[in-house]
Amino acid sequence: MTEATQKKLTKWFWVIVLFPVLLLLFLILLVWMFADIPSFAELENPDNKLATQVIAEDGEVLTTFHIENRTYVSYEELSENIVHAAVATEDKRFYKHSGIDFVGLGRVLFKTILMRNSSQGGGSTITQQLAKTLYPRADVSSRIPGVSQVRMVWIKLKEWITAVKLERDYTKDEIMTMYLNSIFFGSSAYGIRSASETFFGKLPSALTVEESAMLVGMVNKPTRYNPVINPDKALTRRNFVIGQMEKADYITKAQRDSICQIPIELNYQVQDHNSGHAPYFRDMLRRTMQAKKPRRSDYSVVEDFSADSLAWATDDLYGWIQKNPKTDGTLYDLDKDGLRIYTTINYKMQKYAEEAVEERIRDLQKDFQKDLRSKTHKPFSNDIDEETRARVMQQARRWSDRYRMMKKEGVSDSQIFKTFSVPVKMRVFAYNKKGYIDTTMTPDDSIRYYKSMLRTAFVAMEPGTGHVKAYVGGPNYRYFKYDNVRQGKRQVGSTIKPFLYTLAMQEGMTPCTQVTNLPVTFATGGDQTWTPRSTDAEKWIGQTVTLKWGLTNSSNNISA
């Protein structure tokens, strides 16, 4: 055997021996690299953090609980305009490829990379964008040259594999639905329903061509093309999308020219935690549903513990989250599990109740402001002593977010209280078109300012069933979080009088029954007595009057 033949045989021997080993190592490396690619089971249940909807009796959505303001809609609930705009702009061969558009990749290679023409766009398909949205990329930055590029290639390969798996497991309509439900449109709007409600105040099924084009145009850069922040850039981008729709034959050239002339018209309302109807009702629901089994050690007042214990035992809604775990034993999350809470609230009645409260309290506030002018230490009455004023102010400071946050950071009480006399820029509630004013005042002044604001509550209940039809806990939820319906504990006062007079009618009296208008004294136990104070004019004291007069004038003497 020649030396050359011997070397050749040795070479092939090592090739045959080492190739399986190297192949195995390569396969292990691939498994390690792509181990975190989502499985089909994960793809079928993507974590979209769906908002929980609070629904009125007629099916209207009152408000939501959410981390990401996202509400799922089906393909049938989408306007064809939004689908056409997405396909024409983001992936014109969407219905022809299987997750990866090789024609688009070729364009990126030759025009974008080799010819450095970035105007040609990227090569990601809608399916790849969905994969990236459902499973966000990790940070690829590195100080070592070339490492970032290698990591990006690795990530793109995983996104391609995920996109192919999505295409195998879902129809094109399902992929489009998931895509439009998952993308971020800016202004705290996740998904097409939240976006259409935020910018246009309508459902996705009602979106026009120009509205659809504007929303799709924002997907690329939500802030840059936000019509509220950059209206000119948003209009240019919207018209570009309309042009793409014409190129894709979804609209004609004449339609394109006509639609491009339409100005952007918005019904803009950010759907944050302060928006929507019945926000006080929503928070009452949250407290009630998330309540835990009462423990005596958590209560300083025994009556509160008794009331909550009774609610836990008899009210299915009280502590619902704790009482109704998921099948796997974990608890529901109101902010991201997409629950639907059906209520007895009437949508129209709630809307009118909120408007009525705002209108009435605004008028009363004007009169109250006039009355405050005569106060030496407004908003406190002139007969309130200095010690009481100081105690009330100190209590308000301790209840403030400023105090709690600084206390948590370890700042001493004396240092915290000093900051309350230092002027700072702030935004405060006001009865004007904007609903607020930006000003500079001390935190102490802001406390006095807000204590000068009237508060109120409104509840409408159906007597026959006890169903709550409207629930307004205050004048403005964004600035007044205290719920005067649920949290406010006040004496019933004169509201008891209609019930008292009704009982009198049942006992044989009539509105014309005459009585003498004199004070009445009640024995309250032992040597103690109580005489209700009358607010009647002096001329009526001692006069004979009717029960009708007593109720009309809310007379304490007649009620007693």
Side-chain angles (χ1 to χ4, degrees):
M1 181 184 296
T2 64
E3 186 177 349
T5 303
Q6 188 177 6
K7 286 183 177 180
K8 185 180 292 187
L9 289 173
T10 302
K11 178 177 138 181
W12 277 107
F13 171 80
W14 285 111
V15 168
I16 293 171
V17 170
L18 291 178
F19 178 76
V21 177
L22 293 175
L23 179 61
L24 178 62
L25 290 174
F26 179 70
L27 291 175
I28 292 174
L29 178 64
L30 287 179
V31 170
W32 172 76
M33 289 175 62
F34 300 109
D36 57 348
I37 290 178
S39 65
F40 280 122
E42 291 174 310
L43 292 175
E44 294 207 3
N45 298 281
D47 179 15
N48 271 343
K49 297 182 176 63
L50 297 177
T52 289
Q53 296 178 325
V54 180
I55 302 172
E57 64 176 359
D58 58 356
E60 291 275 3
V61 177
L62 286 165
T63 183
T64 62
F65 299 102
H66 62 265
I67 295 175
E68 296 178 358
N69 182 24
R70 187 198 314 275
T71 302
Y72 183 86
V73 294
S74 65
Y75 187 83
E76 290 71 25
E77 297 174 278
L78 298 171
S79 164
E80 66 174 11
N81 296 320
I82 191 70
V83 175
H84 293 167
V87 172
T89 308
E90 299 297 323
D91 188 359
K92 63 183 179 182
R93 282 176 289 276
F94 174 66
Y95 292 104
K96 297 179 181 178
H97 63 68
S98 297
I100 303 173
D101 181 8
F102 291 101
V103 175
L105 289 175
R107 184 195 69 240
V108 171
L109 175 63
F110 289 101
K111 293 188 176 181
T112 304
I113 298 177
L114 298 180
M115 299 176 65
R116 299 185 181 280
N117 182 1
S118 59
S119 65
Q120 295 301 313
S124 292
T125 64
I126 282 178
T127 317
Q128 288 173 253
Q129 292 181 48
L130 172 61
K132 183 171 66 175
T133 302
L134 293 177
Y135 307 97
R137 296 172 177 174
D139 182 25
V140 298
S141 59
S142 175
R143 295 181 180 179
I144 303 174
V147 172
S148 297
Q149 289 77 4
V150 172
R151 286 179 178 173
M152 181 53 69
V153 170
W154 177 8
I155 289 172
K156 292 296 289 186
L157 284 173
K158 290 197 291 185
E159 287 178 0
W160 287 3
I161 294 173
T162 304
V164 171
K165 292 175 73 174
L166 284 167
E167 291 278 350
R168 287 179 56 189
D169 207 34
Y170 296 100
T171 66
K172 290 291 186 180
D173 289 351
E174 289 172 333
I175 290 173
M176 176 60 70
T177 304
M178 283 195 290
Y179 171 73
L180 290 174
N181 276 307
S182 63
I183 51 181
F184 178 55
F185 291 88
S187 296
S188 300
Y190 291 82
I192 187 60
R193 173 159 180 166
S194 294
S196 59
E197 289 178 342
T198 296
F199 290 96
F200 301 110
K202 59 172 63 175
L203 295 174
S205 58
L207 289 172
T208 62
V209 171
E210 63 274 14
E211 292 167 347
S212 300
M214 194 207 80
L215 292 177
V216 169
M218 292 173 60
V219 172
N220 183 258
K221 296 177 180 178
T223 301
R224 179 182 179 86
Y225 298 123
N226 187 308
V228 179
I229 302 173
N230 299 306
D232 293 337
K233 292 178 180 177
L235 181 62
T236 301
R237 178 66 178 173
R238 184 204 72 174
N239 290 346
F240 167 78
V241 175
I242 293 171
Q244 295 298 102
M245 294 177 72
E246 184 265 325
K247 289 180 181 179
D249 295 327
Y250 288 124
I251 58 175
T252 64
K253 186 176 183 302
Q255 287 176 314
R256 181 202 68 185
D257 295 339
S258 174
I259 296 172
C260 283
Q261 299 304 312
I262 300 175
I264 293 178
E265 296 181 359
L266 302 175
N267 182 8
Y268 184 69
Q269 175 63 56
V270 176
Q271 306 296 304
D272 61 10
H273 294 281
N274 298 302
S275 64
H277 291 300
Y280 291 99
F281 182 76
R282 176 199 62 205
D283 277 9
M284 181 275 293
L285 277 178
R286 180 191 288 278
R287 288 194 300 271
T288 301
M289 295 180 69
Q290 291 184 336
K292 296 180 180 179
K293 188 174 183 179
R295 297 183 306 176
R296 180 64 185 91
S297 58
D298 295 332
Y299 293 80
S300 58
V301 180
V302 68
E303 288 80 5
D304 291 341
F305 170 70
S306 298
D308 288 350
S309 297
L310 181 63
W312 178 269
T314 61
D315 186 350
D316 291 336
L317 188 65
Y318 190 88
W320 189 91
I321 297 295
Q322 298 288 329
K323 297 174 181 176
N324 298 273
K326 299 178 185 178
T327 53
D328 62 0
T330 60
L331 300 180
Y332 283 101
D333 189 324
L334 288 178
D335 290 318
K336 62 182 183 180
D337 277 337
L339 301 177
R340 293 193 176 190
I341 303 172
Y342 295 90
T343 73
T344 60
I345 295 290
N346 181 281
Y347 187 87
K348 288 185 178 180
M349 289 179 68
Q350 180 66 33
K351 181 174 179 291
Y352 294 151
E354 291 174 5
E355 292 173 355
V357 166
E358 196 277 336
E359 180 181 345
R360 182 59 178 152
I361 203 71
R362 179 193 291 264
D363 291 339
L364 290 174
Q365 186 66 42
K366 293 178 183 177
D367 295 335
F368 188 56
Q369 291 298 134
K370 294 177 182 178
D371 183 63
L372 285 176
R373 294 173 186 172
S374 63
K375 302 294 187 288
T376 305
H377 302 285
K378 59 184 181 183
F380 300 102
S381 177
N382 288 335
D383 60 355
I384 302 297
D385 61 85
E386 183 178 354
E387 182 182 352
T388 301
R389 296 198 304 269
R391 186 175 66 254
V392 171
M393 288 295 295
Q394 189 74 333
Q395 185 183 55
R397 295 185 191 106
R398 290 183 180 277
W399 283 352
S400 68
D401 291 337
R402 172 182 293 271
Y403 177 85
R404 286 196 293 266
M405 291 173 65
M406 295 183 72
K407 193 69 175 176
K408 191 174 182 180
E409 294 172 359
V411 183
S412 67
D413 281 7
S414 60
Q415 290 177 302
I416 295 174
F417 293 139
K418 283 181 181 179
T419 67
F420 279 81
S421 59
V422 179
V424 293
K425 292 182 179 180
M426 63 177 69
R427 174 171 292 181
V428 296
F429 172 75
Y431 285 107
N432 57 24
K433 289 183 178 179
K434 294 189 296 184
Y436 64 86
I437 54 174
D438 292 316
T439 185
T440 300
M441 63 172 69
T442 67
D444 272 346
D445 285 339
S446 73
I447 290 174
R448 296 186 186 94
Y449 176 81
Y450 278 114
K451 284 188 176 296
S452 300
M453 290 287 176
L454 295 175
R455 312 294 175 87
T456 189
F458 182 110
V459 174
M461 184 183 293
E462 192 172 69
T465 62
H467 292 171
V468 175
K469 296 298 180 181
Y471 186 112
V472 184
N476 185 291
Y477 179 77
R478 184 180 295 274
Y479 294 94
F480 304 101
K481 294 293 192 290
Y482 185 84
D483 182 356
N484 290 278
V485 174
R486 183 64 179 262
Q487 294 175 275
K489 295 182 179 180
R490 301 291 184 270
Q491 292 185 0
V492 67
S494 291
T495 56
I496 195 66
K497 290 176 181 175
F499 299 97
L500 180 63
Y501 279 77
T502 300
L503 178 61
M505 300 301 109
Q506 292 176 345
E507 294 297 318
M509 295 184 180
T510 71
C512 298
T513 298
Q514 294 187 332
V515 294
T516 305
N517 185 6
L518 288 172
V520 177
T521 299
F522 296 90
T524 58
D527 296 331
Q528 301 295 318
T529 61
W530 172 59
T531 305
R533 188 178 63 179
S534 175
T535 56
D536 300 336
E538 188 65 31
K539 66 177 182 178
W540 290 104
I541 302 299
Q543 299 293 321
T544 299
V545 297
T546 63
L547 293 190
K548 178 182 178 183
W549 183 94
L551 180 58
T552 302
N553 292 275
S554 192
S555 171
N556 288 340
N557 286 346
I558 308 305
S559 298

